[in-house]
Each structure stands twice: as structure tokens, then as C-alpha cells.
Amino acid sequence: MKATEQTIMQVERVINKIAQKFPNLDSSNILTDIHIRVSQDSGELLAFNDDEREITRCVVEQWIESRDEHFYYSVTHILQNNLRKLHAVVERMGILRPFSFVLEDDEKNHVAELYLVDDDTTIISGELLQNLDEDLDSFMEDLLK
């Protein structure tokens, strides 16, 4: 699924609203992650803190009753691209580091790690160690030859 201009604008608006709820103060004392929940049926995009308190919500019309079998894969990339685009806003948020943006389905199941911010590290994809087993196996085979 390719994101429409309207979808991109809605996601950017949600990210900016989240950042407004956590202004950068001299001393960040908020300890939380941002849980983004997306519903494939209703198209709702909701953001929560660790205590299940709603931060913001919107309905993304393009996602309403989506029948795309790769829906969450597509949404993951849309959200990651927007978080990457707005990294300056996200990294100024007044949240103790490390903190992350996590994608969940409408049943609160973990789907993907979207964005992790630490003092010296920013990870935009949870797929950093993807295929590590195969790489290590290949390395061992080459080493043992």
C-alpha cells in the first residue's frame, strides 16, 4: 500500500501532537514509551503512553477496512518514514532516554519497533539483527574451512 499525501499529513500531525505532549524541558522526568495502535478495520491511529493513557488519535481514511494482507508491514514503513522525517522533533521530546515508538495492532499485540532513541544511538528499524543467525552460520562455515 502506497501512502497518499493525506495519509502522510495525518501521520505527521499525530507525531507532532505526541511531541507537543512531551515538551523538552531542562529536566526530563517522564519515563515512558510511545505505543502506536492501528486498527485495520476502523483506520484508527491511536497513541498511548506506558500507562495506557491516550495521547492522541485520528482516523486515517486510507486504512479504513483495508483488506491489504500486508497492512501492518506497510503501516510500519509509513510510520518509520515519517518518524525519520521528523527526527528532530522526536529527539527533542522531554522523555527520559532510551525511549521508543512501538507499533501494536488493535488487540495490543506487538507488531514492530518503529523508532528507538538513546543518548548516542537512534535505531529507526527493529530489523537491525534480521538474518543474524544465517550470517553467523555462514561465518562459521567459512571459518571452519
Side-chain angles (χ1 to χ4, degrees), residues 57-88:
R57 73 170 49 212
C58 80
V59 175
V60 179
E61 291 181 29
Q62 182 182 9
W63 298 346
I64 296 173
E65 296 181 4
S66 173
R67 298 295 169 230
D68 183 356
E69 65 182 56
H70 303 291
F71 176 76
Y72 286 104
Y73 179 79
S74 298
V75 168
T76 297
H77 288 288
I78 292 167
L79 291 168
Q80 286 175 334
N81 288 340
N82 279 281
L83 287 163
R84 185 179 309 116
K85 182 177 174 182
L86 297 172
H87 72 89

PDB file of all heavy atoms in Angstrom, residues 57-88:
ATOM      1  N   ARG A  57      -5.280  10.734  18.906  1.00  0.00           N
ATOM      2  CA  ARG A  57      -5.881   9.773  17.978  1.00  0.00           C
ATOM      3  C   ARG A  57      -6.326  10.487  16.721  1.00  0.00           C
ATOM      4  O   ARG A  57      -6.562  11.693  16.724  1.00  0.00           O
ATOM      5  CB  ARG A  57      -7.060   9.052  18.603  1.00  0.00           C
ATOM      6  CG  ARG A  57      -8.301   9.916  18.758  1.00  0.00           C
ATOM      7  CD  ARG A  57      -9.570   9.185  19.147  1.00  0.00           C
ATOM      8  NE  ARG A  57      -9.404   8.301  20.275  1.00  0.00           N
ATOM      9  CZ  ARG A  57     -10.084   7.158  20.430  1.00  0.00           C
ATOM     10  NH1 ARG A  57     -10.970   6.804  19.532  1.00  0.00           N
ATOM     11  NH2 ARG A  57      -9.901   6.412  21.480  1.00  0.00           N
ATOM     12  N   CYS A  58      -6.453   9.705  15.654  1.00  0.00           N
ATOM     13  CA  CYS A  58      -7.042  10.191  14.419  1.00  0.00           C
ATOM     14  C   CYS A  58      -7.500   8.985  13.610  1.00  0.00           C
ATOM     15  O   CYS A  58      -7.161   7.852  13.922  1.00  0.00           O
ATOM     16  CB  CYS A  58      -6.077  11.068  13.620  1.00  0.00           C
ATOM     17  SG  CYS A  58      -4.857  10.177  12.671  1.00  0.00           S
ATOM     18  N   VAL A  59      -8.283   9.238  12.593  1.00  0.00           N
ATOM     19  CA  VAL A  59      -8.719   8.184  11.687  1.00  0.00           C
ATOM     20  C   VAL A  59      -8.068   8.446  10.343  1.00  0.00           C
ATOM     21  O   VAL A  59      -8.189   9.529   9.772  1.00  0.00           O
ATOM     22  CB  VAL A  59     -10.255   8.152  11.553  1.00  0.00           C
ATOM     23  CG1 VAL A  59     -10.676   7.134  10.505  1.00  0.00           C
ATOM     24  CG2 VAL A  59     -10.919   7.850  12.890  1.00  0.00           C
ATOM     25  N   VAL A  60      -7.355   7.443   9.854  1.00  0.00           N
ATOM     26  CA  VAL A  60      -6.698   7.537   8.557  1.00  0.00           C
ATOM     27  C   VAL A  60      -7.637   6.884   7.544  1.00  0.00           C
ATOM     28  O   VAL A  60      -7.827   5.667   7.559  1.00  0.00           O
ATOM     29  CB  VAL A  60      -5.319   6.843   8.577  1.00  0.00           C
ATOM     30  CG1 VAL A  60      -4.662   6.936   7.206  1.00  0.00           C
ATOM     31  CG2 VAL A  60      -4.426   7.453   9.653  1.00  0.00           C
ATOM     32  N   GLU A  61      -8.242   7.706   6.723  1.00  0.00           N
ATOM     33  CA  GLU A  61      -9.270   7.215   5.795  1.00  0.00           C
ATOM     34  C   GLU A  61      -8.758   6.111   4.879  1.00  0.00           C
ATOM     35  O   GLU A  61      -9.474   5.156   4.574  1.00  0.00           O
ATOM     36  CB  GLU A  61      -9.827   8.367   4.975  1.00  0.00           C
ATOM     37  CG  GLU A  61     -10.657   9.321   5.812  1.00  0.00           C
ATOM     38  CD  GLU A  61     -11.229  10.466   4.995  1.00  0.00           C
ATOM     39  OE1 GLU A  61     -11.472  10.258   3.789  1.00  0.00           O
ATOM     40  OE2 GLU A  61     -11.428  11.542   5.568  1.00  0.00           O
ATOM     41  N   GLN A  62      -7.521   6.195   4.451  1.00  0.00           N
ATOM     42  CA  GLN A  62      -6.958   5.193   3.558  1.00  0.00           C
ATOM     43  C   GLN A  62      -6.913   3.807   4.218  1.00  0.00           C
ATOM     44  O   GLN A  62      -6.936   2.794   3.532  1.00  0.00           O
ATOM     45  CB  GLN A  62      -5.548   5.604   3.133  1.00  0.00           C
ATOM     46  CG  GLN A  62      -4.896   4.633   2.168  1.00  0.00           C
ATOM     47  CD  GLN A  62      -3.477   5.048   1.796  1.00  0.00           C
ATOM     48  OE1 GLN A  62      -2.893   5.961   2.370  1.00  0.00           O
ATOM     49  NE2 GLN A  62      -2.913   4.363   0.824  1.00  0.00           N
ATOM     50  N   TRP A  63      -6.855   3.761   5.551  1.00  0.00           N
ATOM     51  CA  TRP A  63      -6.723   2.496   6.265  1.00  0.00           C
ATOM     52  C   TRP A  63      -8.058   1.886   6.676  1.00  0.00           C
ATOM     53  O   TRP A  63      -8.099   0.756   7.156  1.00  0.00           O
ATOM     54  CB  TRP A  63      -5.856   2.679   7.494  1.00  0.00           C
ATOM     55  CG  TRP A  63      -4.448   3.103   7.173  1.00  0.00           C
ATOM     56  CD1 TRP A  63      -3.830   3.070   5.957  1.00  0.00           C
ATOM     57  CD2 TRP A  63      -3.494   3.635   8.084  1.00  0.00           C
ATOM     58  NE1 TRP A  63      -2.540   3.541   6.056  1.00  0.00           N
ATOM     59  CE2 TRP A  63      -2.305   3.897   7.346  1.00  0.00           C
ATOM     60  CE3 TRP A  63      -3.512   3.923   9.443  1.00  0.00           C
ATOM     61  CZ2 TRP A  63      -1.161   4.413   7.932  1.00  0.00           C
ATOM     62  CZ3 TRP A  63      -2.365   4.431  10.033  1.00  0.00           C
ATOM     63  CH2 TRP A  63      -1.206   4.679   9.286  1.00  0.00           C
ATOM     64  N   ILE A  64      -9.161   2.609   6.502  1.00  0.00           N
ATOM     65  CA  ILE A  64     -10.475   2.096   6.912  1.00  0.00           C
ATOM     66  C   ILE A  64     -10.813   0.857   6.091  1.00  0.00           C
ATOM     67  O   ILE A  64     -10.776   0.881   4.860  1.00  0.00           O
ATOM     68  CB  ILE A  64     -11.573   3.165   6.753  1.00  0.00           C
ATOM     69  CG1 ILE A  64     -11.294   4.345   7.695  1.00  0.00           C
ATOM     70  CG2 ILE A  64     -12.951   2.571   7.037  1.00  0.00           C
ATOM     71  CD1 ILE A  64     -12.228   5.521   7.498  1.00  0.00           C
ATOM     72  N   GLU A  65     -11.114  -0.223   6.801  1.00  0.00           N
ATOM     73  CA  GLU A  65     -11.490  -1.510   6.207  1.00  0.00           C
ATOM     74  C   GLU A  65     -10.501  -1.963   5.140  1.00  0.00           C
ATOM     75  O   GLU A  65     -10.882  -2.520   4.113  1.00  0.00           O
ATOM     76  CB  GLU A  65     -12.912  -1.459   5.654  1.00  0.00           C
ATOM     77  CG  GLU A  65     -13.948  -1.251   6.728  1.00  0.00           C
ATOM     78  CD  GLU A  65     -15.366  -1.231   6.196  1.00  0.00           C
ATOM     79  OE1 GLU A  65     -15.590  -1.459   4.990  1.00  0.00           O
ATOM     80  OE2 GLU A  65     -16.268  -0.987   7.008  1.00  0.00           O
ATOM     81  N   SER A  66      -9.239  -1.753   5.404  1.00  0.00           N
ATOM     82  CA  SER A  66      -8.196  -2.185   4.470  1.00  0.00           C
ATOM     83  C   SER A  66      -8.154  -3.705   4.414  1.00  0.00           C
ATOM     84  O   SER A  66      -8.192  -4.381   5.431  1.00  0.00           O
ATOM     85  CB  SER A  66      -6.837  -1.656   4.927  1.00  0.00           C
ATOM     86  OG  SER A  66      -5.813  -2.194   4.132  1.00  0.00           O
ATOM     87  N   ARG A  67      -8.083  -4.236   3.241  1.00  0.00           N
ATOM     88  CA  ARG A  67      -8.008  -5.689   3.041  1.00  0.00           C
ATOM     89  C   ARG A  67      -6.604  -6.115   2.605  1.00  0.00           C
ATOM     90  O   ARG A  67      -6.393  -7.254   2.205  1.00  0.00           O
ATOM     91  CB  ARG A  67      -9.037  -6.149   2.004  1.00  0.00           C
ATOM     92  CG  ARG A  67     -10.463  -5.875   2.407  1.00  0.00           C
ATOM     93  CD  ARG A  67     -10.836  -6.694   3.637  1.00  0.00           C
ATOM     94  NE  ARG A  67     -12.106  -6.246   4.173  1.00  0.00           N
ATOM     95  CZ  ARG A  67     -12.308  -5.942   5.440  1.00  0.00           C
ATOM     96  NH1 ARG A  67     -11.334  -6.015   6.313  1.00  0.00           N
ATOM     97  NH2 ARG A  67     -13.484  -5.547   5.854  1.00  0.00           N
ATOM     98  N   ASP A  68      -5.670  -5.205   2.696  1.00  0.00           N
ATOM     99  CA  ASP A  68      -4.284  -5.482   2.333  1.00  0.00           C
ATOM    100  C   ASP A  68      -3.718  -6.527   3.286  1.00  0.00           C
ATOM    101  O   ASP A  68      -3.690  -6.334   4.498  1.00  0.00           O
ATOM    102  CB  ASP A  68      -3.471  -4.189   2.416  1.00  0.00           C
ATOM    103  CG  ASP A  68      -2.028  -4.350   1.980  1.00  0.00           C
ATOM    104  OD1 ASP A  68      -1.607  -5.480   1.665  1.00  0.00           O
ATOM    105  OD2 ASP A  68      -1.318  -3.329   1.964  1.00  0.00           O
ATOM    106  N   GLU A  69      -3.268  -7.652   2.755  1.00  0.00           N
ATOM    107  CA  GLU A  69      -2.748  -8.713   3.614  1.00  0.00           C
ATOM    108  C   GLU A  69      -1.414  -8.333   4.243  1.00  0.00           C
ATOM    109  O   GLU A  69      -0.979  -8.948   5.207  1.00  0.00           O
ATOM    110  CB  GLU A  69      -2.636 -10.037   2.863  1.00  0.00           C
ATOM    111  CG  GLU A  69      -1.634 -10.042   1.724  1.00  0.00           C
ATOM    112  CD  GLU A  69      -1.613 -11.360   0.986  1.00  0.00           C
ATOM    113  OE1 GLU A  69      -2.672 -11.789   0.507  1.00  0.00           O
ATOM    114  OE2 GLU A  69      -0.525 -11.948   0.896  1.00  0.00           O
ATOM    115  N   HIS A  70      -0.759  -7.321   3.722  1.00  0.00           N
ATOM    116  CA  HIS A  70       0.499  -6.820   4.287  1.00  0.00           C
ATOM    117  C   HIS A  70       0.287  -5.459   4.954  1.00  0.00           C
ATOM    118  O   HIS A  70       1.172  -4.611   4.942  1.00  0.00           O
ATOM    119  CB  HIS A  70       1.559  -6.708   3.194  1.00  0.00           C
ATOM    120  CG  HIS A  70       1.807  -7.995   2.480  1.00  0.00           C
ATOM    121  ND1 HIS A  70       2.412  -9.079   3.065  1.00  0.00           N
ATOM    122  CD2 HIS A  70       1.503  -8.378   1.221  1.00  0.00           C
ATOM    123  CE1 HIS A  70       2.485 -10.070   2.206  1.00  0.00           C
ATOM    124  NE2 HIS A  70       1.928  -9.672   1.073  1.00  0.00           N
ATOM    125  N   PHE A  71      -0.890  -5.284   5.528  1.00  0.00           N
ATOM    126  CA  PHE A  71      -1.287  -3.999   6.097  1.00  0.00           C
ATOM    127  C   PHE A  71      -0.268  -3.484   7.118  1.00  0.00           C
ATOM    128  O   PHE A  71       0.224  -2.360   7.000  1.00  0.00           O
ATOM    129  CB  PHE A  71      -2.668  -4.111   6.746  1.00  0.00           C
ATOM    130  CG  PHE A  71      -3.123  -2.869   7.450  1.00  0.00           C
ATOM    131  CD1 PHE A  71      -3.576  -1.776   6.733  1.00  0.00           C
ATOM    132  CD2 PHE A  71      -3.085  -2.777   8.838  1.00  0.00           C
ATOM    133  CE1 PHE A  71      -3.997  -0.620   7.369  1.00  0.00           C
ATOM    134  CE2 PHE A  71      -3.500  -1.627   9.488  1.00  0.00           C
ATOM    135  CZ  PHE A  71      -3.959  -0.540   8.749  1.00  0.00           C
ATOM    136  N   TYR A  72       0.056  -4.291   8.117  1.00  0.00           N
ATOM    137  CA  TYR A  72       0.942  -3.813   9.187  1.00  0.00           C
ATOM    138  C   TYR A  72       2.368  -3.609   8.691  1.00  0.00           C
ATOM    139  O   TYR A  72       3.087  -2.730   9.170  1.00  0.00           O
ATOM    140  CB  TYR A  72       0.891  -4.747  10.397  1.00  0.00           C
ATOM    141  CG  TYR A  72      -0.400  -4.571  11.158  1.00  0.00           C
ATOM    142  CD1 TYR A  72      -1.420  -5.502  11.063  1.00  0.00           C
ATOM    143  CD2 TYR A  72      -0.605  -3.445  11.942  1.00  0.00           C
ATOM    144  CE1 TYR A  72      -2.615  -5.315  11.748  1.00  0.00           C
ATOM    145  CE2 TYR A  72      -1.791  -3.252  12.621  1.00  0.00           C
ATOM    146  CZ  TYR A  72      -2.792  -4.192  12.521  1.00  0.00           C
ATOM    147  OH  TYR A  72      -3.965  -3.989  13.185  1.00  0.00           O
ATOM    148  N   TYR A  73       2.786  -4.375   7.723  1.00  0.00           N
ATOM    149  CA  TYR A  73       4.096  -4.176   7.107  1.00  0.00           C
ATOM    150  C   TYR A  73       4.129  -2.799   6.435  1.00  0.00           C
ATOM    151  O   TYR A  73       5.094  -2.038   6.610  1.00  0.00           O
ATOM    152  CB  TYR A  73       4.367  -5.288   6.087  1.00  0.00           C
ATOM    153  CG  TYR A  73       5.672  -5.170   5.370  1.00  0.00           C
ATOM    154  CD1 TYR A  73       6.861  -5.564   5.984  1.00  0.00           C
ATOM    155  CD2 TYR A  73       5.728  -4.670   4.070  1.00  0.00           C
ATOM    156  CE1 TYR A  73       8.070  -5.458   5.321  1.00  0.00           C
ATOM    157  CE2 TYR A  73       6.935  -4.557   3.404  1.00  0.00           C
ATOM    158  CZ  TYR A  73       8.101  -4.951   4.031  1.00  0.00           C
ATOM    159  OH  TYR A  73       9.294  -4.833   3.376  1.00  0.00           O
ATOM    160  N   SER A  74       3.085  -2.470   5.698  1.00  0.00           N
ATOM    161  CA  SER A  74       3.009  -1.169   5.019  1.00  0.00           C
ATOM    162  C   SER A  74       2.929  -0.027   6.025  1.00  0.00           C
ATOM    163  O   SER A  74       3.609   0.999   5.871  1.00  0.00           O
ATOM    164  CB  SER A  74       1.790  -1.126   4.096  1.00  0.00           C
ATOM    165  OG  SER A  74       1.878  -2.099   3.101  1.00  0.00           O
ATOM    166  N   VAL A  75       2.094  -0.200   7.051  1.00  0.00           N
ATOM    167  CA  VAL A  75       1.944   0.841   8.072  1.00  0.00           C
ATOM    168  C   VAL A  75       3.268   1.065   8.797  1.00  0.00           C
ATOM    169  O   VAL A  75       3.639   2.203   9.094  1.00  0.00           O
ATOM    170  CB  VAL A  75       0.810   0.468   9.061  1.00  0.00           C
ATOM    171  CG1 VAL A  75       0.830   1.361  10.277  1.00  0.00           C
ATOM    172  CG2 VAL A  75      -0.538   0.541   8.362  1.00  0.00           C
ATOM    173  N   THR A  76       3.991  -0.021   9.066  1.00  0.00           N
ATOM    174  CA  THR A  76       5.296   0.096   9.720  1.00  0.00           C
ATOM    175  C   THR A  76       6.210   1.006   8.915  1.00  0.00           C
ATOM    176  O   THR A  76       6.835   1.917   9.464  1.00  0.00           O
ATOM    177  CB  THR A  76       5.947  -1.296   9.888  1.00  0.00           C
ATOM    178  OG1 THR A  76       5.129  -2.096  10.751  1.00  0.00           O
ATOM    179  CG2 THR A  76       7.341  -1.194  10.465  1.00  0.00           C
ATOM    180  N   HIS A  77       6.282   0.801   7.625  1.00  0.00           N
ATOM    181  CA  HIS A  77       7.159   1.613   6.790  1.00  0.00           C
ATOM    182  C   HIS A  77       6.679   3.059   6.685  1.00  0.00           C
ATOM    183  O   HIS A  77       7.501   3.982   6.685  1.00  0.00           O
ATOM    184  CB  HIS A  77       7.319   0.985   5.410  1.00  0.00           C
ATOM    185  CG  HIS A  77       8.170  -0.240   5.450  1.00  0.00           C
ATOM    186  ND1 HIS A  77       9.527  -0.195   5.642  1.00  0.00           N
ATOM    187  CD2 HIS A  77       7.846  -1.551   5.381  1.00  0.00           C
ATOM    188  CE1 HIS A  77      10.013  -1.413   5.672  1.00  0.00           C
ATOM    189  NE2 HIS A  77       9.015  -2.266   5.520  1.00  0.00           N
ATOM    190  N   ILE A  78       5.384   3.261   6.632  1.00  0.00           N
ATOM    191  CA  ILE A  78       4.847   4.627   6.588  1.00  0.00           C
ATOM    192  C   ILE A  78       5.214   5.372   7.863  1.00  0.00           C
ATOM    193  O   ILE A  78       5.694   6.512   7.825  1.00  0.00           O
ATOM    194  CB  ILE A  78       3.319   4.604   6.374  1.00  0.00           C
ATOM    195  CG1 ILE A  78       2.986   4.077   4.973  1.00  0.00           C
ATOM    196  CG2 ILE A  78       2.716   5.988   6.600  1.00  0.00           C
ATOM    197  CD1 ILE A  78       1.521   3.715   4.775  1.00  0.00           C
ATOM    198  N   LEU A  79       5.013   4.722   9.010  1.00  0.00           N
ATOM    199  CA  LEU A  79       5.325   5.356  10.289  1.00  0.00           C
ATOM    200  C   LEU A  79       6.824   5.597  10.437  1.00  0.00           C
ATOM    201  O   LEU A  79       7.250   6.669  10.880  1.00  0.00           O
ATOM    202  CB  LEU A  79       4.792   4.511  11.443  1.00  0.00           C
ATOM    203  CG  LEU A  79       3.269   4.462  11.569  1.00  0.00           C
ATOM    204  CD1 LEU A  79       2.848   3.378  12.551  1.00  0.00           C
ATOM    205  CD2 LEU A  79       2.715   5.814  11.980  1.00  0.00           C
ATOM    206  N   GLN A  80       7.638   4.612  10.068  1.00  0.00           N
ATOM    207  CA  GLN A  80       9.092   4.785  10.166  1.00  0.00           C
ATOM    208  C   GLN A  80       9.582   5.924   9.283  1.00  0.00           C
ATOM    209  O   GLN A  80      10.432   6.712   9.705  1.00  0.00           O
ATOM    210  CB  GLN A  80       9.813   3.491   9.803  1.00  0.00           C
ATOM    211  CG  GLN A  80       9.716   2.437  10.870  1.00  0.00           C
ATOM    212  CD  GLN A  80      10.325   1.113  10.460  1.00  0.00           C
ATOM    213  OE1 GLN A  80      10.398   0.793   9.281  1.00  0.00           O
ATOM    214  NE2 GLN A  80      10.743   0.334  11.439  1.00  0.00           N
ATOM    215  N   ASN A  81       9.064   6.010   8.083  1.00  0.00           N
ATOM    216  CA  ASN A  81       9.468   7.099   7.188  1.00  0.00           C
ATOM    217  C   ASN A  81       9.116   8.459   7.766  1.00  0.00           C
ATOM    218  O   ASN A  81       9.903   9.411   7.674  1.00  0.00           O
ATOM    219  CB  ASN A  81       8.828   6.935   5.804  1.00  0.00           C
ATOM    220  CG  ASN A  81       9.434   5.801   5.021  1.00  0.00           C
ATOM    221  OD1 ASN A  81      10.549   5.361   5.302  1.00  0.00           O
ATOM    222  ND2 ASN A  81       8.699   5.298   4.041  1.00  0.00           N
ATOM    223  N   ASN A  82       7.937   8.561   8.377  1.00  0.00           N
ATOM    224  CA  ASN A  82       7.533   9.835   8.967  1.00  0.00           C
ATOM    225  C   ASN A  82       8.331  10.150  10.225  1.00  0.00           C
ATOM    226  O   ASN A  82       8.677  11.308  10.469  1.00  0.00           O
ATOM    227  CB  ASN A  82       6.031   9.830   9.256  1.00  0.00           C
ATOM    228  CG  ASN A  82       5.226  10.123   8.017  1.00  0.00           C
ATOM    229  OD1 ASN A  82       5.095  11.259   7.608  1.00  0.00           O
ATOM    230  ND2 ASN A  82       4.711   9.079   7.383  1.00  0.00           N
ATOM    231  N   LEU A  83       8.622   9.144  11.036  1.00  0.00           N
ATOM    232  CA  LEU A  83       9.451   9.363  12.222  1.00  0.00           C
ATOM    233  C   LEU A  83      10.865   9.793  11.815  1.00  0.00           C
ATOM    234  O   LEU A  83      11.454  10.669  12.443  1.00  0.00           O
ATOM    235  CB  LEU A  83       9.488   8.110  13.093  1.00  0.00           C
ATOM    236  CG  LEU A  83       8.209   7.827  13.865  1.00  0.00           C
ATOM    237  CD1 LEU A  83       8.175   6.384  14.353  1.00  0.00           C
ATOM    238  CD2 LEU A  83       8.053   8.799  15.022  1.00  0.00           C
ATOM    239  N   ARG A  84      11.381   9.187  10.776  1.00  0.00           N
ATOM    240  CA  ARG A  84      12.703   9.560  10.269  1.00  0.00           C
ATOM    241  C   ARG A  84      12.681  11.001   9.766  1.00  0.00           C
ATOM    242  O   ARG A  84      13.589  11.784  10.044  1.00  0.00           O
ATOM    243  CB  ARG A  84      13.109   8.610   9.139  1.00  0.00           C
ATOM    244  CG  ARG A  84      14.519   8.829   8.626  1.00  0.00           C
ATOM    245  CD  ARG A  84      14.906   7.846   7.521  1.00  0.00           C
ATOM    246  NE  ARG A  84      14.652   6.468   7.866  1.00  0.00           N
ATOM    247  CZ  ARG A  84      13.778   5.685   7.225  1.00  0.00           C
ATOM    248  NH1 ARG A  84      13.086   6.143   6.205  1.00  0.00           N
ATOM    249  NH2 ARG A  84      13.601   4.424   7.590  1.00  0.00           N
ATOM    250  N   LYS A  85      11.626  11.354   9.062  1.00  0.00           N
ATOM    251  CA  LYS A  85      11.489  12.705   8.517  1.00  0.00           C
ATOM    252  C   LYS A  85      11.401  13.752   9.637  1.00  0.00           C
ATOM    253  O   LYS A  85      11.940  14.846   9.518  1.00  0.00           O
ATOM    254  CB  LYS A  85      10.232  12.759   7.647  1.00  0.00           C
ATOM    255  CG  LYS A  85       9.968  14.059   6.967  1.00  0.00           C
ATOM    256  CD  LYS A  85       8.733  13.916   6.090  1.00  0.00           C
ATOM    257  CE  LYS A  85       8.301  15.208   5.479  1.00  0.00           C
ATOM    258  NZ  LYS A  85       7.071  15.045   4.677  1.00  0.00           N
ATOM    259  N   LEU A  86      10.727  13.383  10.732  1.00  0.00           N
ATOM    260  CA  LEU A  86      10.528  14.305  11.859  1.00  0.00           C
ATOM    261  C   LEU A  86      11.474  14.008  13.024  1.00  0.00           C
ATOM    262  O   LEU A  86      11.165  14.305  14.170  1.00  0.00           O
ATOM    263  CB  LEU A  86       9.073  14.229  12.327  1.00  0.00           C
ATOM    264  CG  LEU A  86       8.027  14.656  11.302  1.00  0.00           C
ATOM    265  CD1 LEU A  86       6.629  14.358  11.794  1.00  0.00           C
ATOM    266  CD2 LEU A  86       8.178  16.135  10.971  1.00  0.00           C
ATOM    267  N   HIS A  87      12.633  13.427  12.726  1.00  0.00           N
ATOM    268  CA  HIS A  87      13.550  13.008  13.785  1.00  0.00           C
ATOM    269  C   HIS A  87      13.950  14.151  14.713  1.00  0.00           C
ATOM    270  O   HIS A  87      14.115  13.948  15.913  1.00  0.00           O
ATOM    271  CB  HIS A  87      14.788  12.316  13.208  1.00  0.00           C
ATOM    272  CG  HIS A  87      15.728  13.239  12.515  1.00  0.00           C
ATOM    273  ND1 HIS A  87      16.735  13.878  13.169  1.00  0.00           N
ATOM    274  CD2 HIS A  87      15.804  13.641  11.227  1.00  0.00           C
ATOM    275  CE1 HIS A  87      17.396  14.638  12.320  1.00  0.00           C
ATOM    276  NE2 HIS A  87      16.842  14.507  11.132  1.00  0.00           N
ATOM    277  N   ALA A  88      14.100  15.353  14.193  1.00  0.00           N
ATOM    278  CA  ALA A  88      14.487  16.480  15.041  1.00  0.00           C
ATOM    279  C   ALA A  88      13.417  16.769  16.095  1.00  0.00           C
ATOM    280  O   ALA A  88      13.725  17.060  17.248  1.00  0.00           O
ATOM    281  CB  ALA A  88      14.747  17.715  14.188  1.00  0.00           C
TER     282      ALA A  88
END
